[in-house]
Amino acid sequence: MPAPLRPSAHAPPRDPLAWTVTLLALAAFAASFVLWRSGGFALDVPWAQQYDLRLHVDFDGLAALYALLATGVGAAVFAYATAYLPLHLEHQTRPARDRWRFWPWMGLFTASMVGLAMAQDLILLFVLFDLTAVCSYFLIGFDRQERASRLAALMALLVTGVGAVALLIGAVVLYVDHSTFSIPELSRILEGAGDPSTGTTVAVALITVAALAKSAQVPLHFWLPRAMAAPTPVSAYLHSAAMVAAGVLVIGRCYQLIEVSQVVLDGLLVVGLASIAIGGAISLTRDGFKQVLAYSTISQYGYVVALYGIGGRAGAGAAAFYVVAHALAKSALFLTAGAVTMATGSRRLSQVGGLWRELPVLAAASAVAAATLSALPLTIGFFKDELFFHAAAGRSTALGILAVVAAGLTFAYTWRFWSGIFLGPRPLVSTATGGPAKPAALSPLPSLLVAPIAVLSLLACFGGVIVKPFADLASDAATATLGHHAAVHPAYHLDTRTENLMALAAWALGALLLATPKLWGPAARALSRAGERAGPSALYERGLSGLNRVSTMLHDVEVRDLRSRVAAVLLPGGILVALGFAATPTAGAFVVGSVRGTDLLVVALLALVAVAAIVVTATHQHVSLVVSLAVVGLGLAVVYALLGAPDVALVAMLVETVITLVFLAIVAYAPRGERPTASEQEGTASQPQRRRHPSRSWRDPLIGAVAGAAAFLVVWASLSRPAATERVVSEQIRLTPEAHGRDVVTVILADFRGLDTMVEITVIGVAVFGVIALLRKGRNW
């Protein structure tokens, strides 16, 4: 059995930064509660008016629910972390200053979660949704010296980041169809539009996929168990009440968009049920504390997703209530796992047991959390399952049966976790003196590693006795989700109604599963092994390895020589131009028109320029190369003059003349090598001649063909009339005064040059900071 993680003899000093973030979270919780009880507030300020982008936030019932969770559970977890983090850093022999890589990100995550809860604009929703992914990347990878932490952070960022891109694409598709990013406005439009269009269905499906990825739902669930490499406070906060909750928050916020498509609603139900089953079954096979809780989180959020799939007042109200009850219980259980690890040094159920004698307060508090998650009476969890059973049985008998099985799974893996830690005999370890084996000594736990767990458990008990405040919060959240009043009325009923019978059946099934692990164990372990070999996690690993190999291959080709670098730009550029050309809608065939008068001279000059460009790629003589380049540049300058752009022509003529003179001067005054002697010539002749790489015989013509075809397509498309040309041109003319310009050309050039310059400055700034960071680290490159 591992040695307990004993605290240092010199307790770390109080951390002002930690307590500042904790007190700010507590103050934000109090402010959120006051705002909720006073009716909330709304703010709607134009951001980019020409694109209908607005800074639109509304502290409605849904925002109140998630803001209270993010700040309330956050305050409890942060208080726990004030004691946990110094010990964690000490055990890893890391400097105390590393806390600056923890607390600012935790605070920023809380703020972004509250903002996400209030967002009423899809682009604002996307920005805050993506910000939570960035914060989670740094928090999951806090132990950056460990490879597992780095890989887990990257996996979480990739999965949830790709989900964020899906959300952005869905938002843009909705804007194209309905000319607004406003969620309330889109809800009103779609409510009276009848059957949704294909574009609308695809858009809401993309938004739903983004939400499911964030909430770690099957088949995008595999990132969450890996994320358990994070420190315990990160897991307790992000993976119980914050980050994974952000996904179902987006579903709740966009539910009036989603419910227009029955296909998407049915998909939510299927994904939710699959997540309940797979997460619950695998949780029963795991030995690590946090692995059990991670898979149970996948399963528990499957309940919420399934409830949104059921829909209606019953589904939306039960989903909101379930999120609250789960957050209280699961965060307490995660904190319990961290406290047990600190006391024993163990992270596995097989390495502990019988701890209730030495840790009675922790055992009692975590027992209440387990009772809440498994829906026992006198806890708020009882009502979450009551509402779940009511919604499922109201949909169909088959769904009601599946709900009982799901609740039985929850009962089994929850009490397997708690009993594995606190019940049974204590493992024995050999003594150094060779005497009889004894239970390992426990490290004393600071009070702040137990008190937050007790507070969360007391809240769960309070909700089990006085449920009205939680029911009111869930009712307000469901009302905001559905757009009309949706009350939630949980209560105890001492009768034989369906929900009570379903609860009894679920407890009996859970107890049976706990008592018969030999019956279901082989099947559950086979499912787990199959997922590891051929599941989405394995596909992710193989896909990432394949991309790495492709990247390495392309890098090797690109750095071979200068022409390869040019090819790496021209070939993809030509392909993208061709794809854009093919996808551009047109009113008919592309028609250039007749060629006469000055046009004949322009065509002849362009043909001369094309011939000169081909000569540039083929010649190996310096003078011929310089002259050919001059013909290209000067020929284009003449074309500019003939097309009515004398200013551009003069600039091009000046530049090309100077460049040509410089090249000629370099060629003329470059030092010439001496003629080799006869013996040197013989020695050279005896050496094997360098053979030209076989790919170069076809590479250069291919590059020229692709680049030439791309240029031709661009010119052809410019001279023709795509269907959207007139609309785009008129829109540019209309917006020119708003950009404070006198003509369209000036505004376009200024805008594009401004953006280009901003990007260049940003790249230079990032490079400078990178060099400074490397120099400060003392690295010699």
Side-chain angles (χ1 to χ4, degrees):
M1 180 176 176
L5 305 179
R6 299 182 183 279
S8 171
H10 302 285
R14 296 290 184 182
D15 186 355
L17 176 63
W19 283 107
T20 298
V21 176
T22 303
L23 293 175
L24 285 174
L26 193 59
F29 173 78
S32 299
F33 184 82
V34 171
L35 282 173
W36 170 51
R37 300 308 295 177
S38 62
F41 75 95
L43 176 67
D44 189 2
V45 179
W47 173 19
Q49 200 165 2
Q50 61 268 34
Y51 297 110
D52 193 40
L53 295 179
R54 310 184 70 84
L55 185 63
H56 186 188
V57 295
D58 189 352
F59 197 87
D60 56 10
L62 190 68
L65 185 149
Y66 285 95
L68 287 170
L69 282 184
T71 55
V73 174
V77 173
F78 296 169
Y80 177 97
T82 59
Y84 180 94
L85 188 63
L87 296 176
H88 181 78
L89 294 175
E90 183 181 354
H91 297 152
Q92 295 189 341
T93 64
R94 294 166 62 183
R97 66 174 178 272
D98 276 5
R99 70 189 190 279
W100 283 94
R101 297 182 48 251
F102 181 86
W103 290 110
W105 288 114
M106 289 291 265
L108 181 59
F109 191 100
T110 303
S112 61
M113 187 70 188
V114 174
L116 180 68
M118 296 189 294
Q120 299 286 328
D121 180 273
L122 284 176
I123 297 300
L124 181 61
L125 191 80
F126 159 75
V127 171
L128 294 168
F129 189 83
D130 212 24
L131 183 57
T132 60
V134 173
C135 293
S136 68
Y137 171 77
F138 288 101
L139 289 170
I140 295 171
F142 177 72
D143 296 331
R144 57 183 178 181
Q145 75 281 358
E146 298 181 7
R147 186 171 184 270
S149 296
R150 299 194 301 272
L151 293 179
L154 178 62
M155 178 183 285
L157 180 66
L158 287 177
V159 176
T160 58
V162 170
V165 173
L167 191 155
L168 178 61
I169 295 173
V172 172
V173 171
L174 287 174
Y175 177 80
V176 170
D177 284 350
H178 306 290
S179 302
T180 182
F181 288 110
S182 170
I183 297 174
E185 184 64 26
L186 286 169
S187 300
R188 285 191 292 270
I189 292 172
L190 295 180
E191 184 180 8
D195 293 335
S197 64
T198 301
T200 298
T201 302
V202 170
V204 297
L206 288 171
I207 294 172
T208 304
V209 168
L212 295 176
K214 183 76 84 172
S215 286
Q217 294 297 282
V218 172
L220 303 173
H221 64 288
F222 55 91
W223 66 267
L224 185 59
R226 295 284 189 90
M228 295 303 106
T232 293
V234 174
S235 300
Y237 185 47
L238 269 64
H239 306 140
S240 65
M243 183 176 178
V244 289
V248 293
L249 163 60
V250 169
I251 294 177
R253 178 61 69 198
C254 299
Y255 190 75
Q256 295 177 61
L257 310 181
I258 295 172
E259 67 178 349
V260 301
S261 173
Q262 188 60 44
V263 173
V264 178
L265 287 180
D266 292 341
L268 284 176
L269 183 57
V270 171
V271 169
L273 293 175
S275 299
I276 292 171
I278 294 175
I282 298 179
S283 180
L284 288 171
T285 68
R286 289 300 184 257
D287 190 37
F289 301 156
K290 291 169 70 175
Q291 288 296 305
V292 173
L293 297 176
Y295 281 101
S296 73
T297 299
I298 296 169
S299 181
Q300 290 294 298
Y301 273 97
Y303 281 80
V304 182
V305 171
L307 285 167
Y308 277 125
I310 293 172
R313 290 182 174 88
F321 195 94
Y322 209 104
V323 168
V324 176
H326 173 265
L328 293 175
K330 187 57 66 63
S331 55
L333 292 176
F334 267 118
L335 296 180
T336 298
V340 171
T341 299
M342 283 292 177
T344 65
S346 302
R347 293 179 172 84
R348 295 181 175 276
L349 295 174
S350 59
Q351 297 172 346
V352 297
L355 293 179
W356 69 271
R357 296 178 184 86
E358 286 85 358
L359 303 172
V361 177
L362 181 62
S366 60
V368 173
T372 301
L373 194 62
S374 57
L376 294 185
L378 300 181
T379 68
I380 192 175
F382 176 83
F383 301 114
K384 73 175 174 62
D385 270 20
E386 178 197 15
L387 296 172
F388 175 57
F389 291 150
H390 175 73
R395 175 70 177 264
S396 70
T397 302
L399 194 56
I401 295 172
L402 291 176
V404 171
V405 175
L409 269 176
T410 300
F411 187 97
Y413 59 64
T414 301
W415 288 108
R416 175 178 175 268
F417 170 82
W418 187 87
S419 62
I421 294 174
F422 295 104
L423 299 185
R426 287 285 309 279
L428 303 178
V429 295
S430 301
T431 60
T433 59
K438 297 180 180 180
L442 301 184
S443 175
L445 290 178
S447 58
L448 278 174
L449 291 185
V450 179
I453 303 172
V455 170
L456 293 169
S457 297
L458 287 174
L459 283 174
C461 283
F462 177 81
V465 177
I466 304 175
V467 71
K468 188 177 185 305
F470 299 95
D472 291 344
L473 183 61
S475 298
D476 290 348
T479 298
T481 293
L482 297 175
H484 53 77
H485 183 65
V488 175
H489 300 291
Y492 293 110
H493 303 282
L494 301 178
D495 53 27
T496 57
R497 66 182 57 210
T498 304
E499 291 85 350
N500 288 346
L501 296 177
M502 294 171 73
L504 291 173
W507 299 334
L509 177 60
L512 180 64
L513 290 172
L514 278 176
T516 59
K518 292 182 179 180
L519 293 179
W520 50 261
R525 287 189 288 271
L527 174 65
S528 177
R529 288 192 297 269
E532 292 171 357
R533 287 195 297 264
S537 179
L539 294 176
Y540 167 86
E541 297 288 352
R542 287 195 286 268
L544 204 60
S545 298
L547 288 175
N548 281 334
R549 288 194 295 271
V550 172
S551 175
T552 302
M553 180 187 69
L554 292 177
H555 175 267
D556 292 343
V557 171
E558 182 184 357
V559 301
R560 185 179 299 157
D561 53 35
L562 179 59
R563 295 193 180 190
S564 295
R565 287 183 176 272
V566 173
V569 175
L570 292 183
L571 286 176
I575 293 171
L576 290 175
V577 168
L579 291 175
F581 182 83
T584 302
T586 62
F590 284 91
V591 178
V592 177
S594 59
V595 179
R596 59 179 181 270
T598 309
D599 295 340
L600 294 172
L601 183 56
V602 171
V603 171
L605 285 170
L606 290 176
L608 177 62
V609 168
V611 172
I614 294 173
V615 172
V616 169
T617 64
T619 184
H620 296 281
Q621 300 296 322
H622 290 160
V623 175
S624 300
L625 182 64
V626 172
V627 173
S628 301
L629 283 173
V631 170
V632 172
L634 297 175
L636 290 175
V638 176
V639 171
Y640 295 147
L642 292 174
L643 294 178
D647 51 347
V648 178
L650 287 173
V651 172
M653 190 74 71
L654 176 63
V655 170
E656 292 300 331
T657 301
V658 171
I659 290 177
T660 301
L661 292 175
V662 169
F663 269 122
L664 289 174
I666 292 173
V667 172
Y669 290 98
R672 303 179 184 276
E674 298 180 358
R675 181 182 296 276
T677 63
S679 60
E680 290 174 340
Q681 290 179 354
E682 292 177 0
T684 304
S686 64
Q687 297 291 331
Q689 292 187 355
R690 186 179 179 183
R691 299 182 60 185
R692 189 180 184 186
H693 195 280
S695 66
R696 298 182 184 180
S697 60
W698 55 265
R699 183 191 60 185
D700 294 348
L702 176 62
I703 296 172
V706 172
F712 175 75
L713 290 178
V714 170
V715 173
W716 192 4
S718 300
L719 296 176
S720 303
R721 291 182 176 272
T725 298
E726 295 182 1
R727 181 170 62 85
V728 172
V729 170
S730 61
E731 186 70 8
Q732 289 175 338
I733 294 174
R734 185 184 69 81
L735 294 175
T736 296
E738 297 185 17
H740 309 289
R742 294 184 178 181
D743 59 84
V744 178
V745 175
T746 301
V747 170
I748 292 175
L749 289 176
D751 285 349
F752 275 90
R753 287 300 304 160
L755 288 173
D756 185 47
T757 303
M758 181 181 69
V759 171
E760 292 171 354
I761 293 173
T762 303
V763 171
I764 293 173
V766 170
V768 168
F769 283 116
V771 171
I772 292 173
L774 291 175
L775 292 175
R776 290 186 63 185
K777 291 290 184 181
R779 295 182 180 180
N780 185 15
W781 294 83

